[in-house]
Amino acid sequence: RVFCPNSGGGLGCAAAPFSDSELGQSVSAEVFESYIKGRMRLLESRLREEVEEEAEGRLQAELLRLQELDEAQREVLAARKHVEDQILTMRCPRCRTAYLDFEGCCALSCSKCPCNFCAWCGADCGADAHRHVGSCVAKPAGVDGVFSRVDVVERAQKVRRAAALESFLGGLGARTREALLREMLGTLREHYSQVLRVFGV
């Protein structure tokens, strides 16, 4: 904002800063445009600083939260992250990029790396997955060739996720597993109730 030149240095003017409309009437169009551009740059800079401070505050709060966790809680947190990111989320077997889209062909191509892989078993098939997909042992009975309906592929992937989940849970210590299952009960109950039953939940 622009203040009266006599507002500082003990000159005693306590008037409010000039409004944009007052400045626009008092200076040339060229000067006023330069003033507006300068104000915009200043506001943008302040906004960036506020965003950075807010993000830093969130990071510090998360760091403090993690520091306050005891070892057992950190183990549960790490296990939950693994289940959510590496088991329940389908990923490219090479670069681990998540994938969601399926258009009928079970020879999948990663959008981030040159990997071609199988929708049935998740195997990295190198430069071309079609030959593998055609004879994949994980392919459900009755599916011919490399094409399938979305619902059939989703069921097969759910079976694969359930097997991976059961294997991972079986490798955890009992206390970590019990705490993890309590935390994720709502998430797992709908689609993985058979896995929960294996562990008495």
Side-chain angles (χ1 to χ4, degrees), residues 39-55:
R39 263 196 84 192
M40 290 176 63
R41 286 194 296 270
L42 179 61
L43 291 173
E44 289 172 356
S45 176
R46 288 179 177 172
L47 179 60
R48 283 195 298 270
E49 290 175 359
E50 290 175 0
V51 170
E52 290 172 358
E53 289 174 359
E54 182 180 351

Side-chain angles (χ1 to χ4, degrees), residues 75-89 165 168-169 172 176-193 195-196 201:
E75 286 181 2
V76 174
L77 183 63
R80 177 167 188 156
K81 182 172 178 59
H82 179 83
V83 169
E84 291 175 339
D85 291 353
Q86 304 300 326
I87 296 178
L88 301 186
T89 301
L165 178 61
F168 177 72
L169 291 174
L172 295 175
T176 301
R177 180 172 60 246
E178 290 169 4
L180 175 63
L181 290 177
R182 282 197 301 271
E183 283 194 9
M184 299 194 68
L185 185 60
T187 301
L188 300 177
R189 177 180 285 158
E190 182 178 359
H191 298 293
Y192 302 97
S193 58
V195 177
L196 297 179
V201 179

Side-chain angles (χ1 to χ4, degrees), residues 56-159:
E56 183 179 358
R58 288 197 301 268
L59 288 174
Q60 289 177 342
E62 178 66 9
L63 177 60
L64 180 60
R65 186 182 72 84
L66 293 174
Q67 289 173 339
E68 290 175 346
L69 295 176
D70 60 28
E71 184 177 355
Q73 290 172 316
R74 286 195 290 271
E75 286 181 2
V76 174
L77 183 63
R80 177 167 188 156
K81 182 172 178 59
H82 179 83
V83 169
E84 291 175 339
D85 291 353
Q86 304 300 326
I87 296 178
L88 301 186
T89 301
M90 304 305 294
R91 295 182 179 275
C92 166
R94 189 180 304 178
C95 72
R96 307 307 296 167
T97 296
Y99 70 92
L100 298 173
D101 296 334
F102 176 74
E103 299 177 350
C105 179
C106 297
L108 304 178
S109 298
C110 180
S111 61
K112 296 294 184 181
C113 79
C115 181
N116 289 268
F117 55 101
C118 176
W120 302 117
C121 70
D124 184 340
C125 302
D128 187 1
H130 290 83
R131 181 185 297 274
H132 169 93
V133 168
S135 58
C136 179
V137 296
K139 182 168 59 175
V143 175
D144 295 322
V146 297
F147 291 93
S148 180
R149 299 197 317 270
V150 173
D151 62 308
V152 175
V153 173
E154 287 179 346
R155 283 198 300 272
Q157 291 183 342
K158 178 183 171 183
V159 170

